[in-house]
Amino acid sequence: MKFFHLSDLHIGKQLHHYNLREDQAHILGQVICYAKDIHPDAVVIAGDIYDKTVPSAEAVTLWDEFLTGLSRIRPRIPVLIISGNHDSAERLQYAASLLKDQEIYLAGEAGEDQMQKVTLEDAYGEVDFYLLPFVKPSYVRHLFPEDPPGNYTEAVEKLISRESIDFINKRNVLVSHQFYRGSKEPVTCDSEIFSIGGLDQVDVSVVRGFDYGAFGHLHSAQKAGAEAYRYCGTLLKYSVSEAEQEKALHLVTLGEKGTSPQVERLKLTPLRDVCRKSGSLSEVLQNPSQREREAYISITLTDEEELYKPKEQLQQVYRRILEVRIENSRTKRKLDGLEEELIIQSPQEVFGDFYREMQGKDLTEEEQKIMDEIFEQAKEEDQ
Ligand SMILES: [Mn+2]
């Protein structure tokens, strides 16, 4: 069984105020070309379809074009989709039962019923895909009135344990959009949003038993605790911190039960790259490649002397400047000297200081946990 594993399309995303519609249309077009060529048994999209819970008309149109493009391929390729933390579960769910007839399976909300399961078949038998939309403990508390989940790990664990999954004989794939953590520190980047204090992390051991984990959420492609549990990452670079990454489309081959899945990275060519360049103004202005002229570019200037309208000069050569930074001995000294004052505290740290000042002691671990939850709630209501 071969399937595409993609996630975090973030349709409608802007990069430092640049509209990425053309870039996204271009890259989604490549996915459709690969689907026509390779004809996988399924296309799995592990959440964050849109960048915002209320996507723009332009974003909805692009998503529509992509789904239509995939669904027109014959023989039909099933498309399996879950919502991510950026999506509105209810909005994404729109027309889900109608789309099922087209073999487009949409799991927006984790409902009262069992997890949505899609069964596909190959020469080795059936493969069950379990679609677990992004969940927070508060979304599913009402499903377990006796013993509600207290954190993200318990929420996922409880949802999985109410399924009757044959882990021994069948091949099972989990499609999920959570922040899974193994023993290794995950690679994160600037285009992701996390909860403060790491409250949203899920211990990956609770999904042990699945033959493949098709995860979304982290934007850098990486394994999550085990060889067969993967974040495929975004199709495009969504922040300067991703400039050095190679984005790719993941093609997963699932063999016989008990064999490890193979993951192949198919090359993607973005319409425009995201890159960094540094040097003196005259160096940076000299001989830029065509790719750099067109790219979303972050420029660092290292000149010591005061420059005359550097941004205006750079704009003559580079069409899509994301930022211009100055890094010389003066700015360095400034930073060194100010280091003490530059410490930016989180709301929790500020509160912790205040509490210590007032009460003459530190918050206990339990009090700290309660405060973390309160700040988390406040942040959610703010969004
Ligand atoms: Mn995302």
Side-chain angles (χ1 to χ4, degrees):
M1 164 117 2
K2 277 180 192 296
F3 60 92
F4 286 174
H5 168 195
L6 40 150
S7 79
D8 297 84
L9 309 181
H10 286 266
I11 298 176
K13 187 175 175 60
Q14 304 219 329
L15 188 59
H16 295 230
H17 305 297
Y18 289 102
N19 182 330
L20 296 179
R21 202 202 72 85
E22 285 179 9
D23 305 78
Q24 294 184 323
H26 178 87
I27 217 76
L28 293 173
Q30 281 179 34
V31 174
I32 292 176
C33 285
Y34 272 126
K36 284 178 182 160
D37 269 10
I38 296 174
H39 214 282
D41 299 294
V43 172
V44 174
I45 311 177
D48 280 359
I49 306 305
Y50 293 118
D51 191 54
K52 292 193 166 63
T53 49
V54 185
S56 66
E58 193 178 77
V60 176
T61 306
L62 184 53
W63 170 236
D64 179 31
E65 284 168 6
F66 178 55
L67 265 193
T68 309
L70 284 178
S71 71
R72 291 226 166 109
I73 301 172
R74 292 292 178 275
R76 230 189 253 286
I77 303 172
V79 185
L80 285 53
I81 305 155
I82 60 164
S83 61
N85 55 319
H86 280 253
D87 300 307
S88 151
E90 296 86 351
R91 288 195 183 89
L92 199 69
Q93 187 85 32
Y94 172 74
S97 29
L98 286 177
L99 289 170
K100 216 178 227 173
D101 298 339
Q102 316 288 317
E103 289 188 64
I104 295 174
Y105 302 91
L106 260 169
E109 293 174 275
E112 313 293 316
D113 310 324
Q114 305 294 101
M115 227 185 277
Q116 195 176 152
K117 181 174 90 174
V118 179
T119 305
L120 303 175
E121 231 183 301
D122 67 4
Y124 301 109
E126 291 183 337
V127 178
D128 288 337
F129 288 81
Y130 288 86
L131 309 188
L132 174 61
F134 172 71
V135 288
K136 291 184 179 183
S138 60
Y139 295 0
V140 293
R141 228 161 251 165
H142 66 282
L143 300 176
F144 309 97
E146 305 284 290
D147 182 22
N151 56 41
Y152 279 73
T153 298
E154 283 173 20
V156 171
E157 189 176 26
K158 281 177 180 295
L159 285 170
I160 290 174
S161 63
R162 67 178 187 161
E163 305 295 321
S164 42
I165 306 175
D166 179 358
F167 284 120
I168 311 287
N169 303 303
K170 284 193 94 169
R171 289 169 295 161
N172 304 289
V173 175
L174 177 67
V175 185
S176 173
H177 191 99
Q178 305 290 148
F179 188 0
Y180 287 104
R181 266 213 69 162
S183 51
K184 256 179 67 188
E185 194 63 38
V187 181
T188 57
C189 47
D190 292 343
S191 56
E192 298 152 342
I193 295 177
F194 300 110
S195 288
I196 30 185
L199 282 177
D200 52 355
Q201 297 186 0
V202 174
D203 182 346
V204 76
S205 64
V206 299
V207 303
R208 181 182 338 109
F210 284 94
D211 298 275
Y212 185 77
F215 298 158
H217 194 40
L218 299 187
H219 291 182
S220 319
Q222 60 197 285
K223 291 168 203 158
E227 193 64 31
Y229 299 155
R230 303 266 185 147
Y231 285 103
C232 58
T234 48
L235 300 172
L236 288 168
K237 299 174 186 176
Y238 283 146
S239 65
V240 175
S241 70
E242 293 154 70
E244 285 75 33
Q245 294 182 10
E246 283 262 5
K247 301 290 187 180
L249 173 62
H250 286 56
L251 171 65
V252 182
T253 306
L254 211 57
E256 205 175 345
K257 176 79 184 174
T259 58
S260 40
Q262 300 300 309
V263 180
E264 197 184 324
R265 293 165 55 89
L266 307 175
K267 193 178 159 49
L268 292 169
T269 314
L271 184 62
R272 307 167 187 114
D273 200 5
V274 174
C275 61
R276 310 186 221 230
K277 198 172 169 89
S278 95
S280 67
L281 180 60
S282 63
E283 282 166 355
V284 172
L285 288 172
Q286 241 169 34
N287 309 323
S289 66
Q290 189 57 28
R291 184 186 72 99
E292 288 172 329
R293 281 175 188 273
E294 295 297 324
Y296 299 101
I297 193 162
S298 161
I299 297 172
T300 303
L301 297 176
T302 54
D303 302 81
E304 289 296 336
E305 66 275 17
E306 208 56 58
L307 297 166
Y308 178 71
K309 292 195 171 173
K311 186 141 192 216
E312 284 75 0
Q313 293 190 54
L314 290 165
Q315 276 166 339
Q316 302 286 320
V317 175
Y318 298 97
R319 293 189 56 192
R320 295 175 187 84
I321 299 175
L322 297 174
E323 56 187 5
V324 179
R325 304 147 48 104
I326 311 278
E327 219 177 86
N328 56 24
S329 54
R330 198 157 24 96
T331 58
K332 204 172 166 294
R333 237 191 348 264
K334 238 191 207 163
L335 278 176
D336 286 348
L338 281 173
E339 216 161 31
E340 290 284 295
E341 289 158 54
L342 267 179
I343 297 167
I344 298 166
Q345 289 188 308
S346 68
Q348 284 104 314
E349 286 166 334
V350 174
F351 183 79
D353 287 352
F354 170 75
Y355 186 88
R356 201 175 306 117
E357 190 104 327
M358 291 292 124
Q359 304 289 331
K361 57 178 182 187
D362 284 327
L363 286 160
T364 64
E365 213 169 285
E366 201 186 340
E367 286 165 343
Q368 186 64 57
K369 235 176 112 186
I370 294 168
M371 286 314 296
D372 283 350
E373 276 167 30
I374 291 172
F375 280 117
E376 186 60 24
Q377 251 171 34
K379 204 175 105 185
E380 264 170 41
E381 278 160 25
D382 209 30
Q383 276 170 2

